[in-house]
Amino acid sequence: MWHKKWSLPRIFVSVDVGAGVPLDRPLLAMISCGTLVAGDSELHDQGLSGDCVQRLTASSGALFEANFSSLLLTQTSFNCGNRPFHLLVTVLAAPLQGAEPGEGGAQAQALACLTSPPIHVDARRRTRGERPDAQSSDVRLLVRQRS
């Protein structure tokens, strides 16, 4: 369970570059978020706000890293047919500078992609009446300050 107004935790992407990875152009890391529709093999983009594409920088030897912070979800599961969300981290080789459309290297090339387990995204906290079986420590419960 995740709430739409919560920032995602800091996400570190670390890539050990092996043989066959094109180092003639910059490597990028991209984070996206979407839902899967039953019977459909495509992920439907639901959007993230924040800096979702970063250049991977060399840290040591063949290790490249990027660091994502302050990302926010822009939709809720309720607005997407009650489907859970999945975060995707995609590693890309950037397009070649000056390449003509239709030539090899004119577009970014996906090198790897990882997906998260399902995440249910809610828009608001619930009252004790709406979740009578919830424990008092449940973060989904609205706690009102009494004066």
Side-chain angles (χ1 to χ4, degrees):
M1 170 68 80
W2 197 260
H3 287 279
K4 181 180 170 185
K5 292 189 178 196
W6 292 349
S7 289
L8 292 173
R10 188 176 300 267
I11 298 171
F12 294 96
V13 177
S14 182
V15 178
D16 188 358
V17 179
V21 175
L23 293 178
D24 58 338
R25 47 190 163 159
L27 296 178
L28 306 172
M30 178 177 72
I31 296 187
S32 54
C33 181
T35 60
L36 292 169
V37 177
D40 196 352
S41 62
E42 289 184 23
L43 188 81
H44 295 264
D45 185 25
Q46 299 303 332
L48 283 174
S49 66
D51 186 10
C52 298
V53 179
Q54 291 189 20
R55 186 174 181 164
L56 287 160
T57 56
S59 63
S60 65
L63 197 62
F64 288 76
E65 296 178 332
N67 181 0
F68 295 88
S69 62
S70 303
L71 299 177
L72 289 168
L73 298 159
T74 59
Q75 295 290 331
T76 64
S77 293
F78 177 80
N79 290 330
C80 298
N82 282 328
R83 293 186 304 272
F85 287 66
H86 295 270
L87 293 175
L88 275 80
V89 177
T90 307
V91 176
L92 304 156
L96 287 172
Q97 295 269 338
E100 294 294 322
E103 291 181 5
Q107 294 183 341
Q109 177 187 1
L111 303 174
C113 186
L114 296 171
T115 185
S116 73
I119 304 165
H120 183 81
V121 180
D122 205 358
R124 65 181 179 90
R125 293 188 176 180
R126 306 289 190 237
T127 64
R128 173 65 71 185
E130 292 173 302
R131 291 196 191 271
D133 57 337
Q135 296 183 13
S136 60
S137 62
D138 194 330
V139 297
R140 297 174 293 181
L141 283 181
L142 176 66
V143 179
R144 296 202 172 130
Q145 300 294 328
R146 307 237 186 242
S147 51

